[in-house]
C-alpha cells in the first residue's frame, strides 16, 4: 500500500511539472516570435545591420523596439510597428538619455524599492522610457520619461 502512495505522489508531481513547463513554453511563444519577426524586419529594411536585443512595448500603439547597430556603426533603436508601411521610426541611442539615467530621474523624486523593468517605447508624443517599479509600500508604479531630455511625461502610481 505504501508503494502505491509513493507512486501516486511521484506521478502527480511529475505530471504537474510537465504541465507547468508546457504552459510556460507556450505562453512565451508569441512574444519571442514577435521579437524575431521585428528583428528580421528592422534588418531587412536596412535600418540596422545587426541587432543585439528586442523588447515589446505596449503603449497606445504596440511596438517592438529593436536595438542594434546601423551600417555606420551607430547604435540605434528601431520601433517596429506591424501596421507601418513606409519604414520604421528610429532613434540614435547617443541622442537621448540611457535607461540608467531614466531610473536615476525616477529615484530622485519617488521611493523606489525594486525596479521591475525599463523599456524604451514609442508613444504619440515621441520615444519614452517606461520604468516599472515597486515602491517601499509594495505598490506597483509606472513612470514614463521622455527619451530626448529625461522629463516626466506620465505617472501611474500606487496600483
Amino acid at each position: 500500500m505504501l508503494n502505491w502512495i509513493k507512486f501516486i505522489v511521484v506521478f502527480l508531481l511529475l505530471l504537474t511539472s510537465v504541465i507547468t513547463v508546457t504552459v510556460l513554453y507556450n505562453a512565451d511563444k508569441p512574444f519571442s516570435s514577435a521579437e524575431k519577426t521585428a528583428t528580421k524586419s528592422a534588418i531587412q529594411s536596412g535600418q540596422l545591420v545587426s541587432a543585439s536585443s528586442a523588447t515589446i512595448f505596449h503603449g497606445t500603439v504596440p511596438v517592438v523596439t529593436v536595438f542594434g547597430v546601423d551600417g555606420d556603426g551607430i547604435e540605434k533603436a528601431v520601433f517596429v510597428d506591424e501596421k507601418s508601411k513606409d519604414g520604421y521610426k528610429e532613434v540614435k541611442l547617443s541622442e537621448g538619455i540611457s535607461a540608467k539615467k531614466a531610473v536615476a530621474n525616477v529615484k530622485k523624486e519617488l521611493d523606489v524599492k525594486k525596479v521591475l523593468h525599463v523599456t524604451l517605447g514609442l508613444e504619440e508624443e515621441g520615444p519614452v522610457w517606461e520604468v516599472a517599479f515597486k515602491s517601499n509600500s509594495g505598490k506597483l508604479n509606472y513612470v514614463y520619461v521622455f527619451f530626448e531630455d529625461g522629463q516626466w511625461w506620465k505617472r501611474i502610481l500606487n496600483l
Side-chain angles (χ1 to χ4, degrees):
M1 183 68 174
L2 185 62
N3 287 335
W4 278 104
I5 293 173
K6 288 179 186 178
F7 172 77
I8 291 172
V9 168
V10 169
F11 177 76
L12 289 176
L13 286 173
L14 285 175
L15 181 65
T16 304
S17 299
V18 168
I19 289 173
T20 302
V21 168
T22 303
V23 167
L24 292 176
Y25 175 74
N26 287 331
D28 188 52
K29 269 187 187 178
F31 292 105
S32 61
S33 173
E35 289 173 353
K36 287 178 186 175
T37 303
T39 302
K40 186 177 176 182
S41 295
I43 292 173
Q44 285 179 346
S45 71
Q47 291 176 291
L48 295 177
V49 173
S50 66
S52 58
S53 65
T55 57
I56 296 176
F57 179 79
H58 296 286
T60 53
V61 176
V63 295
V64 179
T65 307
V66 181
F67 296 93
V69 178
D70 68 359
D72 298 328
I74 299 171
E75 291 184 343
K76 289 184 177 179
V78 177
F79 303 104
V80 178
D81 174 11
E82 62 187 37
K83 296 179 177 107
S84 178
K85 303 294 184 212
D86 57 341
Y88 306 118
K89 294 182 181 177
E90 63 183 47
V91 293
K92 294 177 184 176
L93 294 179
S94 61
E95 294 179 353
I97 65 168
S98 66
K100 289 181 182 179
K101 178 72 173 156
V103 171
N105 286 353
V106 172
K107 285 184 176 179
K108 274 193 253 181
E109 293 190 36
L110 297 173
D111 60 329
V112 177
K113 181 177 182 181
K114 180 181 178 186
V115 175
L116 301 175
H117 72 260
V118 182
T119 307
L120 182 63
L122 188 65
E123 288 288 347
E124 293 170 358
E125 289 77 10
V128 294
W129 286 107
E130 175 187 68
V131 181
F133 64 94
K134 292 261 183 161
S135 63
N136 288 333
S137 61
K139 303 278 185 161
L140 178 63
N141 301 278
Y142 289 92
V143 175
Y144 296 87
V145 178
F146 282 116
F147 171 76
E148 289 89 13
D149 56 7
Q151 296 297 314
W152 294 64
W153 174 52
K154 184 172 28 173
R155 303 176 196 194
I156 304 171
L157 304 175
N158 298 323
L159 297 176

